[in-house]
Amino acid sequence: MSLELTGIGISRGVAIGRAHIIVRGSIEVQESIIAERLIEAEVARYLDAIAIARMQLRSIRERIPKETRVDITAFIDTHLLMLDDATIVNTPVDLIRETGCNAEWALKQQRDAVVEVFEQMDDAYLRTRRDDVDHVINRIQRILLSTGQGDLHVEGGLHGAIVLADDLTPAETVLLQHQGICALATEYGGPLSHTAILARSVQLPAVVGVHGIQRYLQDGDTLILDGLHGVLIVDPDDNLLEHYRQRQAQEAHRRSELAGLAQTPAVTLDRRPISLMANIELPEDIEAVVRENTQGVGLYRTEFLFMNRREPPDEEEQYRCYLGVIEALNGKPLTIRTLDMGADKQVDGAGKLGPCGGNPALGLRAIRLCLKDPGLFCPQLRAILRASAQGPVRMMIPMLSNTHELQQVLNLIEEAKQALLRQDMAYDPHIAIGGMIEVPAAALAASAFARRLDFLSIGTNDLIQYTLAIDRVDDEVNYLYDPLHPAVLRLIRMVIDAGQHAGIPVAMCGEMAGDPRYTRLLLGMGLTEFSMHPSALQEVKSVINQSSIETLAPRVDALLQGGEADQILAGVEAINSSLH
Ligand code: PEP
Ligand code: MG
């Protein structure tokens, strides 16, 4: 009898192979008190462990073949950088000296403090950067505890194996991929972790959150892994094997079709060009933007520059960073979103923020925070304006909720322009200023924003959270998160209509834009600019290229007028399964 385990599919594709289990066990850390005369030796032991961790990561990096793409090796560099960060190097050392505790305990205390800050973040993507902290800290803990990092190297490689592990770091994933594995599944980890992003980027089928891997599975078991549906089947019978072999063939066909699309423009059957842009978080993400041949960047989340540091980056550092992205984009437009941090994110570069409110998602977040702290905001405005002299840059303001707020921002931008003029510093006087529509009030009043702005971009991640009153990072209410809720669709429609009425472009940059299940619906609603993770692009493009807006618009109109949730879901499915 075959056994089926489920998890979260994070990288689609079907793999059939033998199980290779990597067991490392959990890390148990005990507190002990170090005699005063041995404290400096304990500090030295801790710093040695960091040096060894650094050596290990460098050695992994060297073993990765030279032709590996830069965005893949960049994950390892991120971890190497963390090993130089004061939060990991200095704070535990201070703790050992101040409290006389052992190195493992000091590191655990620091890990718990950092993780707590990550847990409170509004942004699901940033929140999962906690995984990186854990990966780096676990590496150091294993060195301190001498438990080893687990058996990743197998003589003769792991050709065709499906690797099963408690968790895998990005570095380990790259190493395993180069040993020839065909898929991976882990007990822990989330869909937005770097390991997940990496698996998708190298097209390695993967499932995370599979509970019971160690209990139910043994080395050598025959497995089927379905990365789309998050399923792991143990000891499949012949019928199942045959079914999944067919799925593999279909998947291979789909992949080769999508790969061929990169150089094809996104145009509907009735010849309407659709703009497909990318969302990026790190300058390294640009590589994927270029590879997927996107038309530019529709959302550059600048928060990253402010993280993992005590002081915010100054104007010059921000300017240099934007310049690097502009150069890499080689003439394609770059939409830089101003800082979107919340009162809960007091860590790192935004250290001067006000007190944390009881409900950070409704508190001093994004533009509210920036207007409250011009010392944080104005250097970024100047950096973006200066960058606009060097290439096609647009500026985008997150989380606007009223036009008074917007007017304040526009005044600050005007002041920054005047100051740059006085200092004889270049900027684009016609730089486009846009607003993210992600608060229901802003969607309802979209025409007032459209009159004052050069473009709008719908942030569905937040728009859905605020419209349906569900915390987007609270797993307990995840089931209510519904892009097809009639209220959400009505708001989206209002924003698109307001943009059309004012004659300005409207984009969508939330996750909904990168989900091919909603592409036809959005086309039918009049959306012509989509911004998404580059890995979703060709799939969305393939839907666009097989759709006709002329056909979709009246169908979608009729569907939205009905307004009942169940009808909408059925209607969207019907639209998706029809010819165009
Ligand atoms: C959104 O809210 O849809 C969005 C794109 O912004 P973020 O996910 O960064 O909040
Ligand atoms: Mg948002």
Side-chain angles (χ1 to χ4, degrees), residues 70-80 132 170-171 194 197-198:
V70 182
D71 59 332
I72 291 172
T73 50
F75 289 112
I76 299 175
D77 291 338
T78 308
H79 285 198
L80 272 165
D132 289 305
H194 270 155
I197 294 169
L198 186 63

Side-chain angles (χ1 to χ4, degrees), residues 41-185:
E42 189 66 3
V43 168
R45 186 171 79 88
Y46 180 66
L47 295 177
D48 282 351
I50 291 184
I52 293 170
R54 213 175 275 130
M55 265 163 37
Q56 286 178 345
L57 279 177
R58 285 200 186 120
S59 127
I60 291 177
R61 206 180 185 294
E62 272 157 27
R63 269 179 287 154
I64 294 173
K66 295 278 172 286
E67 63 275 12
T68 306
R69 293 200 321 258
V70 182
D71 59 332
I72 291 172
T73 50
F75 289 112
I76 299 175
D77 291 338
T78 308
H79 285 198
L80 272 165
L81 273 177
M82 287 169 81
L83 283 172
D84 290 328
D85 196 279
T87 4
I88 289 190
V89 183
N90 301 352
T91 317
V93 166
D94 293 345
L95 265 175
I96 299 172
R97 289 198 174 119
E98 279 159 23
T99 66
C101 69
N102 51 328
E104 293 87 341
W105 190 253
L107 183 57
K108 182 182 179 316
Q109 299 303 305
Q110 178 61 358
R111 182 246 170 220
D112 292 349
V114 174
V115 164
E116 200 182 318
V117 175
F118 274 89
E119 292 287 353
Q120 288 172 8
M121 289 185 177
D122 289 335
D123 188 306
Y125 177 80
L126 294 181
R127 202 170 70 129
T128 54
R129 297 283 66 80
R130 180 198 63 192
D131 292 351
D132 289 305
V133 175
D134 265 339
H135 288 154
V136 169
I137 287 180
N138 286 349
R139 180 172 290 279
I140 307 171
Q141 286 291 24
R142 289 203 168 96
I143 295 165
L144 288 167
L145 296 162
S146 311
T147 55
Q149 300 292 336
D151 186 13
L152 288 182
H153 273 280
V154 172
E155 277 311 312
L158 284 167
H159 194 75
I162 296 181
V163 162
L164 309 169
D166 40 6
D167 194 9
L168 289 170
T169 68
E172 290 164 342
T173 308
V174 181
L175 262 192
L176 289 164
Q177 195 230 351
H178 284 290
Q179 290 192 74
I181 68 167
C182 66
L184 62 90

Side-chain angles (χ1 to χ4, degrees), residues 123 301 337 340 365 398 436 438 459 461-463 472:
D123 188 306
R301 295 180 165 105
R337 179 175 75 180
D340 181 3
R365 191 194 146 184
M436 283 191 71
E438 44 187 354
N461 307 342
D462 278 312
L463 186 62
R472 66 193 252 193

Side-chain angles (χ1 to χ4, degrees), residues 322-374:
Y322 303 152
L323 211 56
V325 179
I326 292 169
E327 276 163 15
L329 279 174
N330 206 6
K332 292 182 175 179
L334 170 65
T335 313
I336 306 178
R337 179 175 75 180
T338 59
L339 191 63
D340 181 3
M341 281 198 142
D344 56 318
K345 300 170 194 162
Q346 294 206 37
V347 69
D348 319 328
K352 301 184 195 80
L353 313 186
C356 178
N359 193 336
L362 302 180
L364 206 53
R365 191 194 146 184
I367 194 57
R368 304 170 179 185
L369 169 76
C370 287
L371 286 174
K372 191 94 177 172
D373 189 350

Side-chain angles (χ1 to χ4, degrees), residues 220-240:
D221 279 348
T222 301
L223 299 177
I224 295 173
L225 182 143
D226 176 351
L228 179 63
H229 299 105
V231 174
L232 196 62
I233 302 171
V234 193
D235 284 336
D237 59 26
D238 288 347
N239 284 342
L240 271 176

Side-chain angles (χ1 to χ4, degrees), residues 219-264:
D219 256 340
D221 279 348
T222 301
L223 299 177
I224 295 173
L225 182 143
D226 176 351
L228 179 63
H229 299 105
V231 174
L232 196 62
I233 302 171
V234 193
D235 284 336
D237 59 26
D238 288 347
N239 284 342
L240 271 176
L241 278 171
E242 184 46 35
H243 169 77
Y244 277 97
R245 284 201 183 104
Q246 280 176 16
R247 284 267 320 274
Q248 266 185 320
Q250 288 162 357
E251 194 69 25
H253 182 65
R254 189 191 72 90
R255 283 231 160 104
S256 69
E257 272 186 354
L258 288 184
L261 275 184
Q263 301 309 320
T264 310

Side-chain angles (χ1 to χ4, degrees), residues 309-546:
R309 57 195 299 162
R310 281 176 204 280
E311 289 298 320
D314 63 12
E315 174 188 322
E316 197 56 27
E317 184 180 344
Q318 295 182 63
Y319 170 66
R320 298 260 149 233
C321 181
Y322 303 152
L323 211 56
V325 179
I326 292 169
E327 276 163 15
L329 279 174
N330 206 6
K332 292 182 175 179
L334 170 65
T335 313
I336 306 178
R337 179 175 75 180
T338 59
L339 191 63
D340 181 3
M341 281 198 142
D344 56 318
K345 300 170 194 162
Q346 294 206 37
V347 69
D348 319 328
K352 301 184 195 80
L353 313 186
C356 178
N359 193 336
L362 302 180
L364 206 53
R365 191 194 146 184
I367 194 57
R368 304 170 179 185
L369 169 76
C370 287
L371 286 174
K372 191 94 177 172
D373 189 350
L376 185 69
F377 193 33
C378 292
Q380 183 176 40
L381 290 182
R382 284 176 56 96
I384 297 173
L385 285 171
R386 285 174 57 197
S388 71
Q390 310 300 329
V393 166
R394 311 195 297 176
M395 188 186 311
M396 185 158 77
I397 316 299
M399 218 196 155
L400 289 163
S401 56
N402 64 54
T403 50
H404 175 66
E405 214 170 31
L406 172 59
Q407 197 50 54
Q408 278 180 276
V409 179
L410 295 176
N411 292 346
L412 283 175
I413 295 173
E414 198 44 48
E415 279 168 29
K417 283 183 177 174
Q418 294 307 322
L420 288 174
L421 204 62
R422 284 194 299 277
Q423 291 167 291
D424 222 6
M425 293 172 102
Y427 64 89
D428 172 7
H430 305 296
I431 180 175
I433 311 291
M436 283 191 71
I437 302 297
E438 44 187 354
V439 174
L444 289 162
S447 51
F449 288 93
R451 277 197 294 277
R452 293 166 169 86
L453 285 163
D454 301 310
F455 66 95
L456 302 178
S457 187
I458 309 172
T460 48
N461 307 342
D462 278 312
L463 186 62
I464 297 170
Q465 137 163 291
Y466 293 126
T467 305
L468 304 183
I470 38 168
D471 188 338
R472 66 193 252 193
V473 295
D474 184 345
D475 293 343
E476 298 285 340
V477 288
N478 251 348
Y479 71 101
L480 292 168
Y481 200 86
D482 179 14
L484 293 183
H485 191 295
V488 172
L489 296 182
R490 211 165 288 167
L491 290 174
I492 293 174
R493 168 127 252 180
M494 290 178 100
V495 182
I496 296 173
D497 289 350
Q500 281 174 354
H501 192 72
I504 61 165
V506 176
M508 178 179 285
C509 62
E511 291 300 304
M512 190 177 179
D515 190 327
R517 286 173 301 173
Y518 308 129
T519 308
R520 282 189 162 176
L521 172 71
L522 295 170
L523 286 172
M525 288 169 84
L527 192 76
T528 52
E529 190 174 317
F530 296 64
S531 190
M532 66 197 77
H533 189 277
S535 65
L537 211 117
Q538 306 311 338
E539 185 122 29
V540 169
K541 191 194 286 177
S542 83
V543 177
I544 291 171
N545 291 358
Q546 295 165 50

